[in-house]
Amino acid sequence: MHILEYDVLKNLIDLRKIYLCHRNADPDAIGSAFALSWLFGGDIGAVGDLSRAAVQLADSIGIKPIIDPDLDSYDMVVLVDTSVSSQIGGAMLRRYGVIDHHLDRDLLENAEFYIQREADSTAQIVWDIIKSSGRAGRIPREVALALLAGMVSDTGRFRHASAETFRCVHEILEAGDVDYGEVMEVLSRAPLDFSQRVAVLKAASRAEISWRGEWIIACTEVSAFEGSSAMALLDLGADVAFAASSQGGVCRVSGRASFRAVQAGIDLADLMKSIARSHGGSGGGHRGAAAMEVRHPAGRLLAELAEAAFERLNV
């Protein structure tokens, strides 16, 4: 399978291409795009902005992704770590491919190629592609750092990691001149800035808490930083947390679930995708971390999400 994946991408070497990451691109997206650009050439771009952790990673490996690039100037756009149209802000795509570990099929129908399979991170898929290229024996320190940061970040610092991820980490540490401590230092250099801290504290103060049996779900409305706000509610003791913001009639929701809740049956990617589609929107992500975007009142949407989460916890 992996050799075929490499052969598909090898055909793109002579094309002018860009690896496009989703809105608020995270370390997995940026790290994977960087490793692909090292292997096959091409530019790195992102829609809208980068997360703070991704900014720290980009600085550490010496790159400056192009924000909101002119896609018409490229022969091929390779979407990295995303297969949902809402995550690229409705960007107009002519020729494109998809490399992603999420199993959403929103953008696959018109893609010229796609490499999509279930994995803990897109970086894991990219590492397998590098191995099939024959160049995994010794990789640049920056490539190793980028891939490891993506794996550590997307597994919640290994809270949701499989044995396969640990195998990849072991191989990359051996192949690249980098220590695990360097990866953690990069990811730890991104504390919340003032506006994020204010948003998170407001999210906590406005949160509506509900519980059934031993399960606690927290929902809140914010003006921005939905992901950070949901994660903060989880850290404060919620088993599942949803944070929503509304702009221009569009409601964006980020959800987070504890390891315990995931083990009990919560799959936020499936839950949010299902509810988003029922309202004509889109959603997806991971079992423990997902997002959605729909045109629907935030309060009613949060109530629907909380009820669906309780149902999946069988309470």
Side-chain angles (χ1 to χ4, degrees):
M1 176 191 296
H2 307 326
I3 292 176
L4 292 176
E5 292 173 353
Y6 173 71
D7 287 342
V8 166
L9 293 172
K10 186 172 62 175
N11 295 329
L12 305 177
I13 288 178
D14 294 331
L15 297 179
R16 178 165 168 74
K17 56 194 167 295
I18 186 168
Y19 304 98
L20 185 66
C21 303
H22 54 76
R23 182 167 47 200
N24 195 36
D26 57 15
D28 187 34
I30 293 298
S32 297
F34 175 69
L36 288 166
S37 70
W38 166 75
L39 188 60
F40 299 106
D43 294 336
I44 300 169
V47 175
D49 54 13
L50 309 183
S51 71
R52 289 185 63 80
V55 169
Q56 295 294 341
L57 175 60
D59 288 343
S60 297
I61 58 180
I63 61 170
K64 291 186 177 180
I66 305 168
I67 302 301
D68 295 326
D70 177 12
L71 301 182
D72 289 336
S73 63
Y74 295 92
D75 300 321
M76 175 66 67
V77 176
V78 182
L79 300 177
V80 179
D81 196 42
T82 182
S83 51
V84 178
S85 57
S86 63
Q87 290 185 304
I88 55 172
M92 299 300 294
L93 301 170
R94 293 184 295 109
R95 298 183 63 192
Y96 71 94
V98 176
I99 302 176
D100 189 22
H101 71 121
H102 305 96
L103 299 184
D104 305 292
R105 305 189 63 82
D106 182 26
L107 288 166
L108 301 190
E109 182 177 353
N110 296 318
E112 290 198 13
F113 72 89
Y114 60 88
I115 298 171
Q116 185 191 55
R117 53 187 169 84
E118 189 170 7
D120 291 338
S121 64
T122 298
Q124 183 178 318
I125 296 174
V126 173
W127 174 241
D128 284 335
I129 293 171
I130 291 174
K131 287 199 299 180
S132 67
S133 75
R135 298 181 63 183
R138 197 67 182 170
I139 59 175
R141 171 188 174 279
E142 292 80 8
V143 172
L145 181 61
L147 291 173
L148 289 170
M151 293 180 191
V152 172
S153 174
D154 246 38
T155 59
R157 303 196 177 190
F158 300 126
R159 282 181 295 182
H160 304 290
S162 64
E164 182 70 8
T165 292
F166 284 106
R167 177 190 63 78
C168 291
V169 169
H170 171 74
E171 292 173 348
I172 295 170
L173 286 172
E174 286 196 329
D177 185 22
V178 64
D179 294 324
Y180 178 69
E182 294 179 68
V183 181
M184 297 308 295
E185 182 180 349
V186 169
L187 295 176
S188 298
R189 281 190 216 145
L192 297 180
D193 63 18
F194 181 80
S195 57
Q196 279 184 291
R197 285 188 287 143
V198 170
V200 166
L201 289 169
K202 285 184 177 180
S205 68
R206 298 169 179 165
E208 293 189 8
I209 314 299
S210 53
W211 60 90
R212 295 179 190 174
E214 296 183 354
W215 297 106
I216 301 173
I217 294 180
C219 298
T220 189
E221 293 188 45
V222 294
S223 57
F225 305 113
E226 302 91 354
S228 298
S229 298
M231 193 66 225
L233 293 175
L234 213 65
D235 290 339
L236 288 172
D239 295 294
V240 181
F242 298 105
S245 69
S246 297
Q247 294 182 2
V250 176
C251 181
R252 295 177 59 185
V253 185
S254 284
R256 299 291 185 271
S258 66
F259 178 77
R260 174 172 170 261
V262 171
Q263 291 295 102
I266 279 288
D267 183 341
L268 289 181
D270 181 70
L271 185 155
M272 298 184 84
K273 183 191 305 181
S274 174
I275 290 180
R277 285 178 175 172
S278 72
H279 295 293
S282 61
H286 310 276
R287 288 187 300 249
M292 62 186 291
E293 190 172 287
V294 299
R295 290 187 173 276
H296 199 69
R300 287 160 55 185
L301 194 58
L302 288 171
E304 189 174 350
L305 286 164
E307 183 61 33
F310 276 130
E311 288 178 1
R312 297 196 181 203
L313 290 169
N314 296 314
V315 290

